[in-house]
Amino acid sequence: MSNAASANPAGSVPNPEVLAKSLAEIAQRSQSIATDYLNRMKEGKAAATSDDLGVMPAFVELANKMWANPMKLAEAQTRAWQEQMNVWQGAVQKFFGQGEQAGTAAKTDPRFKNEMWQNNFLFDYIKQSYLVAAENIQRTVADVEGLDSQTARKVRFFTRQFVDALSPTNFAITNPEVLKATLESGGQNLLDGLNHLLQDVERGGGQLAISMTDTKAFKMGENVATTPGKVVYQNDLIQLIQYTPSTEKVHKTPLLIIPPWINKYYILDLREKNSFIRYAVAQGHTVFVISWVNPDSRHANKGFEDYMFEGPLAALDAMEKAMGEREANVIGYCLGGTLLSCTLAYLAATKDTRVKSATFFTAMIDFQEPGELGVFVDESSLKGIEKKMQERGGFLEGSEMASTFNMMRANDLIWSFVINNYLLGKDPFPFDLLFWNSDATRMPAKMHTFYLRNMYIKNLLVKPGGIELGGQAIDLKKIKTPACFVSAMEDHIAPWKSTYVGAKAFPGPVNFILAGSGHIAGIVNPPSANKYHYWTNDELPAEADAWIASAQKHDGSWWSNWSDWVGQFGGAQVAARVPGKGKLKVIEDAPGAFAKFRLDTQQDTKKS
């Protein structure tokens, strides 16, 4: 389907032939989707509406607490009314050229970057009125007293979802950019957008699966995940990739990277210019990376313990076989870092000292303050998740996890695409990061339940002997391995102050680095980009606020700082090792079959 801008000359009515073709395609897709949904209902496979997260009870409790203090509620209503009047008065004054608009300017809000939001009286008023109302609603909810912490977290989060959804940018009649496109194309943008909407519903099997990028623009191993390497080991859960050296000499001690299995590893190898893996290879490391399987019902009974034994421990054994080198430096990213901490405690309990250093990228160890992800994890929601996993054959669909993370940044990862795809009728822009972000992965039931209940809900990892893996009590206080924690200032998934508390759980020497930006951009920030900044501190005081207060700020990327730190544990320089030249033979080229398997591709294949 062509874009609206190219379908018709500016200001023209729709071409009758194009209009008829669009309407016919829309009707055909709508009928197909409706028929498929009815068939799924008959078979009992259609998604049922439920409140597994307990949103309704949370808001009922909110209402009860608000009505318990009518005076405070009246004050909030009076304040909201007064601020709306101020906006209106400011708008009138601006209309007559007597002053600037009142209220929140929101000049940095990307939703209102179109100049019409500032220059047009009506749209400026709509914007200011919305922003003031949104601020008042969220402030009123946040000020309600007497809610327990989990309920308060839920109502704040879903109130934000509500006010974000009501943004005037999300509606055709109140978005100046959409109105302009509609006038110029004769409404073709809305027809194209409806077709895009139906395509996404069809692709999602009756559920809306918003297209964030043109997935056909990328091919694994060609323009993403391009660092040369070979798969040299494989089991039920992992493929182990060894990368081709780019230097004649390398550190004697190899480097193993454990990515999260909630996403694919190639976030660290998106493009040549921002690939952390390529950078590490260039620094003279023999780099190995775990590529996790995308599980299905065959993996339903794989537990957290299996992920440790068949993941990092199996990888370390394979690396020793490949090179004859037992020791290794290890990196764990996000959930991979949580697993790394468990692995280190298990090795400490078994008197195994093969890990020389451990690096944690945005990794949660202490889950006392889990951030917004805590909204989705309590006993009631976990029971709902367990039920879904049981009904679907022992795993959680990747799309559900993706939706959770997208909701945490709804304006960027949901509503911006609603506007672009459905209101403006444009095709999604090819973007490698969003190609990775849409590459959803499933979660095995046994592993996922263990992780959520023991880490998020009970926070047992930081309690000595709180969990047991492989017959060993996990006690972080027994870990003597030097550790480096790299966290991100704006991380909404692993809040940096929470990761700092986790770092304090390690008794060995700990280096803490705080990067700028968020969970992804804070880590994938090569020195050549010269973006953001980072903080370091030779001390590790008890509180995170004390750490940042005395930390030193540096411009640019933290990569070189980390490289200097890990270089201490690299050992002597030896001849570079070529994948397949040792006792482990090459299975296939990187990125390997596990990484290339995409759920959305499989769904498209089934429907074609």
Side-chain angles (χ1 to χ4, degrees):
M1 181 67 67
S2 59
N3 288 338
S6 61
N8 300 288
S12 69
V13 297
N15 182 303
E17 293 184 5
V18 174
L19 178 60
K21 184 179 179 181
S22 296
L23 292 175
E25 185 175 350
I26 289 168
Q28 183 181 14
R29 288 187 177 278
S30 299
Q31 183 179 9
S32 175
I33 292 169
T35 301
D36 179 66
Y37 186 77
L38 287 173
N39 290 335
R40 287 165 62 84
M41 283 186 66
K42 292 177 182 178
E43 298 171 5
K45 297 179 180 179
T49 301
S50 62
D51 187 17
D52 294 331
L53 294 176
V55 177
M56 183 62 70
F59 276 89
V60 169
E61 180 67 11
L62 172 72
N64 291 335
K65 296 298 183 184
M66 292 177 73
W67 284 112
N69 193 343
M71 184 62 70
K72 189 172 184 179
L73 180 60
E75 290 175 356
Q77 292 173 330
T78 302
R79 182 184 63 225
W81 174 256
Q82 183 60 54
E83 291 186 1
Q84 286 293 341
M85 288 299 298
N86 292 340
V87 170
W88 173 249
Q89 291 172 1
V92 172
Q93 291 175 354
K94 184 177 181 181
F95 180 76
F96 288 106
Q98 298 177 357
E100 292 296 321
Q101 174 66 288
T104 307
K107 294 181 180 178
T108 59
D109 192 328
R111 294 177 295 178
F112 303 103
K113 63 183 178 181
N114 188 288
E115 61 181 15
M116 290 286 285
W117 289 111
Q118 281 72 45
N119 300 334
N120 181 278
F121 158 77
L122 177 60
F123 288 115
D124 188 33
Y125 170 71
I126 291 172
K127 175 194 67 176
Q128 298 290 359
S129 179
Y130 161 74
L131 289 171
V132 166
E135 183 179 347
N136 262 297
I137 291 170
Q138 293 184 90
R139 182 171 56 200
T140 300
V141 168
D143 287 345
V144 172
E145 299 175 348
L147 296 175
D148 64 82
S149 60
Q150 181 66 0
T151 301
R153 188 183 289 124
K154 284 183 181 181
V155 296
R156 287 197 301 267
F157 179 84
F158 286 103
T159 298
R160 195 183 78 216
Q161 301 301 309
F162 171 75
V163 298
D164 286 348
L166 291 182
S167 171
T169 54
N170 299 336
F171 301 90
I173 197 66
T174 52
N175 187 321
E177 188 177 3
V178 175
L179 286 174
K180 180 181 178 183
T182 304
L183 291 172
E184 291 179 346
S185 70
Q188 186 65 45
N189 60 304
L190 299 179
L191 287 173
D192 290 347
L194 181 55
N195 230 323
H196 288 163
L197 174 63
L198 292 174
Q199 289 170 9
D200 287 349
V201 172
E202 186 179 38
R203 183 171 56 86
Q207 302 293 315
L208 180 60
I210 300 175
S211 297
M212 294 185 177
T213 188
D214 179 7
T215 58
K216 296 178 182 178
F218 302 97
K219 190 169 182 179
M220 297 281 288
E222 293 187 8
N223 54 3
V224 290
T226 60
T227 301
K230 307 290 183 181
V231 175
V232 295
Y233 172 79
Q234 179 175 327
N235 61 28
D236 284 347
L237 289 180
I238 72 167
Q239 286 191 322
L240 184 65
I241 301 171
Q242 180 181 354
Y243 286 91
T244 304
S246 60
T247 56
E248 292 184 1
K249 296 288 186 178
V250 296
H251 294 288
K252 183 175 183 289
T253 306
L255 178 68
L256 172 65
I257 300 176
I258 311 170
W261 53 88
I262 205 167
N263 296 112
K264 299 287 185 66
Y265 83 87
Y266 64 91
I267 185 59
L268 297 175
D269 190 29
L270 277 180
R271 290 168 290 150
E272 181 175 343
K273 65 180 182 180
N274 68 354
S275 170
F276 178 83
I277 291 172
R278 189 180 291 266
Y279 172 84
V281 171
Q283 302 308 302
H285 295 282
T286 304
V287 178
F288 290 80
V289 173
I290 289 175
S291 176
W292 297 99
V293 72
N294 205 329
D296 55 33
S297 57
R298 295 169 297 176
H299 305 89
N301 290 318
K302 293 287 187 181
F304 198 88
E305 184 178 273
D306 296 305
Y307 269 72
M308 181 180 76
F309 282 113
E310 298 180 44
L313 292 178
L316 289 169
D317 289 341
M319 291 163 61
E320 182 179 1
K321 185 175 181 181
M323 301 178 301
E325 177 61 37
R326 181 168 176 77
E327 294 183 320
N329 296 306
V330 185
I331 296 174
Y333 190 175
C334 188
L335 183 50
T338 306
L339 179 62
L340 174 57
S341 68
C342 295
T343 305
L344 292 174
Y346 175 83
L347 292 175
T350 56
K351 311 300 183 184
D352 190 326
T353 59
R354 73 175 92 178
V355 178
K356 293 185 67 176
S357 76
T359 300
F360 298 86
F361 292 169
T362 62
M364 292 286 289
I365 308 298
D366 188 312
F367 291 78
Q368 184 66 33
E369 295 295 335
E372 289 192 336
L373 270 178
V375 170
F376 301 90
V377 187
D378 54 27
E379 278 295 341
S380 62
S381 62
L382 182 54
K383 289 178 181 178
I385 293 172
E386 289 174 327
K387 182 180 178 182
K388 287 180 180 178
M389 291 191 292
Q390 183 179 7
E391 292 173 347
R392 294 171 185 176
F395 59 85
L396 185 69
E397 280 290 357
S399 58
E400 296 197 19
M401 291 302 303
S403 296
T404 297
F405 287 107
N406 291 344
M407 286 177 66
M408 295 172 69
R409 294 179 55 198
N411 286 327
D412 294 331
L413 297 177
I414 297 177
W415 296 113
S416 66
F417 297 103
V418 168
I419 296 166
N420 181 81
N421 301 3
Y422 307 148
L423 299 184
L424 294 175
K426 296 180 180 179
D427 294 325
F429 185 78
F431 187 18
D432 52 8
L433 179 59
L434 292 177
F435 173 79
W436 168 84
N437 189 63
S438 63
D439 195 357
T441 54
R442 301 184 180 115
M443 297 291 111
K446 186 176 180 181
M447 180 283 302
H448 199 49
T449 299
F450 179 94
Y451 171 64
L452 294 181
R453 177 164 284 117
N454 290 285
M455 310 301 185
Y456 269 96
I457 296 178
K458 297 183 178 179
N459 196 25
L460 295 180
L461 181 54
V462 293
K463 298 177 182 178
I467 61 175
E468 184 177 293
L469 297 172
Q472 300 294 331
I474 298 303
D475 185 354
L476 301 182
K477 292 300 182 183
K478 293 182 178 179
I479 298 172
K480 306 301 181 184
T481 308
C484 178
F485 280 75
V486 183
S487 299
M489 174 67 82
E490 300 170 19
D491 196 334
H492 60 292
I493 295 173
W496 82 266
K497 291 185 179 181
S498 295
T499 64
Y500 184 86
V501 175
K504 292 292 294 181
F506 283 65
V510 175
N511 180 36
F512 192 88
I513 299 173
L514 181 60
S517 195
H519 193 73
I520 300 300
I523 298 300
V524 185
N525 180 30
S528 59
N530 196 29
K531 291 174 63 177
Y532 311 128
H533 38 257
Y534 66 96
W535 292 263
T536 60
N537 194 332
D538 293 334
E539 303 297 326
L540 200 71
E543 302 295 332
D545 288 335
W547 184 91
I548 192 64
S550 59
Q552 182 178 359
K553 185 176 180 180
H554 313 268
D555 292 330
S557 171
W558 54 268
W559 287 14
S560 55
N561 184 286
W562 169 83
S563 181
D564 292 339
W565 178 85
V566 79
Q568 306 171 72
F569 312 101
Q573 293 288 302
V574 298
R577 297 102 160 197
V578 178
K581 296 298 183 181
K583 292 183 179 180
L584 288 183
K585 301 305 177 184
V586 171
I587 297 174
E588 60 179 321
D589 290 339
F594 283 11
K596 288 181 179 179
F597 178 86
R598 285 182 67 96
L599 289 176
D600 53 4
T601 301
Q602 298 302 309
Q603 291 166 355
D604 290 343
T605 300
K606 291 177 183 178
K607 291 181 178 296
S608 61

